[in-house]
């Protein structure tokens, strides 16, 4: 216990813990809609496209995450506005954004004078590098997400499960879907600080998928996903410190281990029920 208290005496540890909890809420809330609406590939495209804006800002000496956020939101708005009716065309656009964003980011970072020490952090993340300002900004985003969720919960749920039925009920489908994409884009940008661009999709998808195996209610999935996200981020942080490994991969692998355990337990329980019958 004294060792834990000593660790929390360091500001960077406190920032990492608080950022991890904020990320857990983002994973639980936004990730659930991403999984239900099948926006995983879209979120992946947005996260990799954001690397282009990140690289441009890095080259010109601006805050890289601002460039990533701007690019992610623009990509989300473009995907929400165009091509929603033609899934194949949208898939092609996402693939192009994915490749072009990464290419632009790599080129600008490569052309930046000197060594780029933060490149690996952007690709694979490091929760221990999160500053107090970034942590507070992440919590501000969490507050915005929760307020928007409360205001438009019925609309978001309707378009997540059944767009045609939502349209019949008078829901502005395109605006609601675009709103979900923008929220997912912002969540992706802030989660990049924790696990990086390469692994951010795992953090958005693993908690909701595991939660859907355990509970049925949509509200329960949201709550449980947030709790599992906290276990992933804080447990991964502890593993990273104890085993001296990068925090991003530790967070993702811990979540994957939990997902495998849940799936195996469910399969074992189903087998026992069939045997009893």
């Amino acid at each position: 216990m004294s060792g834990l208290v000593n660790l929390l005496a360091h500001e960077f540890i406190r920032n990492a813990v608080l950022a991890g909890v904020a990320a857990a809420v983002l994973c639980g809330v936004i990730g659930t809609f991403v999984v239900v609406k099948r926006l995983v590939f879209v979120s992946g495209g947005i996260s990799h496209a954001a690397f282009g804006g990140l690289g441009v800002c890095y080259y010109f000496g601006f805050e890289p995450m601002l460039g990533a956020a701007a690019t992610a939101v623009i990509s989300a708005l473009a995907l929400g506005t165009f091509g929603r009716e033609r899934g194949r065309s949208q898939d092609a656009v996402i693939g192009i954004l994915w490749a072009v964003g990464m290419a632009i980011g790599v080129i600008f970072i490569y052309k930046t004078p000197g060594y780029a020490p933060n490149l690996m952090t952007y690709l694979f993340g490091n929760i221990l590098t999160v500053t107090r300002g970034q942590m507070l900004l992440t919590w501000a985003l969490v507050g915005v997400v929760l307020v928007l969720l409360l205001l438009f919960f019925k609309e978001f749920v309707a378009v997540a499960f059944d767009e045609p039925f939502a349209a019949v009920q008078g829901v502005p489908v395109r605006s609601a879907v675009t709103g979900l994409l923008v929220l997912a884009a912002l969540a992706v940008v802030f989660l990049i600080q924790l696990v990086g661009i390469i692994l951010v999709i795992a953090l958005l998808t693993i908690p909701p998928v595991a939660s859907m195996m355990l509970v049925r209610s949509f509200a329960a999935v949201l709550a449980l996903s947030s709790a599992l996200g906290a276990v992933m981020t804080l447990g991964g942080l502890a593993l990273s410190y104890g085993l001296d490994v990068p925090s991003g991969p530790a967070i993702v692998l811990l979540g994957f281990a939990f997902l495998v355990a849940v799936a195996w337990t469910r399969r074992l329980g189903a087998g026992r029920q069939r045997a009893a019958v």
Side-chain angles (χ1 to χ4, degrees):
M1 182 64 69
S2 60
L4 178 61
V5 173
N6 291 335
L7 278 178
L8 292 176
H10 299 286
E11 184 179 6
F12 74 97
I13 294 291
R14 295 197 302 272
N15 291 338
V17 170
L18 292 173
V21 175
V25 177
L26 286 177
C27 293
V29 176
I30 301 300
T32 300
F33 283 101
V34 166
V35 172
V36 171
K37 186 59 182 166
R38 299 181 181 179
L39 298 175
V40 175
F41 184 53
V42 175
S43 300
I46 289 173
S47 68
H48 287 72
F51 192 65
L54 186 151
V56 171
C57 283
Y58 190 90
Y59 178 82
F60 288 105
F62 300 112
E63 170 56 45
M65 297 309 295
L66 293 178
T71 306
V73 170
I74 291 172
S75 300
L77 291 173
L79 291 171
T81 303
F82 304 106
R84 287 292 308 167
E85 294 81 6
R86 295 184 290 274
R88 187 175 301 176
S89 299
Q90 189 184 45
D91 284 347
V93 172
I94 294 168
I96 292 170
L97 286 174
W98 190 307
V100 172
M102 288 297 293
I104 292 174
V106 169
I107 287 176
F108 272 90
I109 289 177
Y110 177 80
K111 296 298 291 184
T112 301
Y115 176 64
N118 293 326
L119 178 58
M120 294 299 289
T121 298
Y122 296 134
L123 291 178
F124 296 101
N126 188 351
I127 193 173
L128 295 176
T129 64
V130 174
T131 65
R132 179 175 175 79
Q134 291 171 331
M135 179 269 293
L136 293 175
L137 195 58
T138 305
W139 273 108
L141 174 63
V142 169
V144 171
V145 168
L146 293 179
V147 169
L148 291 175
L149 183 66
L150 289 173
L151 292 176
F152 304 106
F153 184 77
K154 292 182 179 179
E155 290 81 359
F156 286 156
V157 172
V159 298
F161 283 97
D162 194 336
E163 279 191 26
F165 180 75
V168 171
Q169 295 298 312
V171 176
V173 172
R174 176 162 294 187
S175 297
V177 172
T178 302
L180 280 178
L181 288 173
V182 171
L183 291 178
L186 292 174
V188 160
V189 170
F190 284 96
L191 293 176
I192 284 173
Q193 301 171 84
L194 275 67
V195 295
I197 289 171
I198 304 298
L199 303 176
V200 69
I201 297 305
L203 201 59
L204 276 175
T205 55
I206 289 177
V209 170
S211 298
M212 290 174 187
M213 294 181 182
L214 296 172
V215 295
R216 296 294 183 184
S217 166
F218 189 77
V221 170
L222 291 174
L224 185 57
S225 295
S226 298
L228 294 182
V231 172
M232 278 181 62
T233 53
L234 300 182
L237 178 60
L239 285 176
S240 171
Y241 177 80
L243 301 178
D244 191 24
V245 295
S247 58
I251 291 171
V252 172
L253 289 178
L254 179 62
F256 178 71
F258 186 83
L259 180 62
V260 171
V262 170
W264 181 80
T265 302
R266 279 197 64 193
R267 184 174 181 180
L268 186 63
R272 287 176 177 174
Q273 288 181 351
R274 287 194 298 267
V277 173

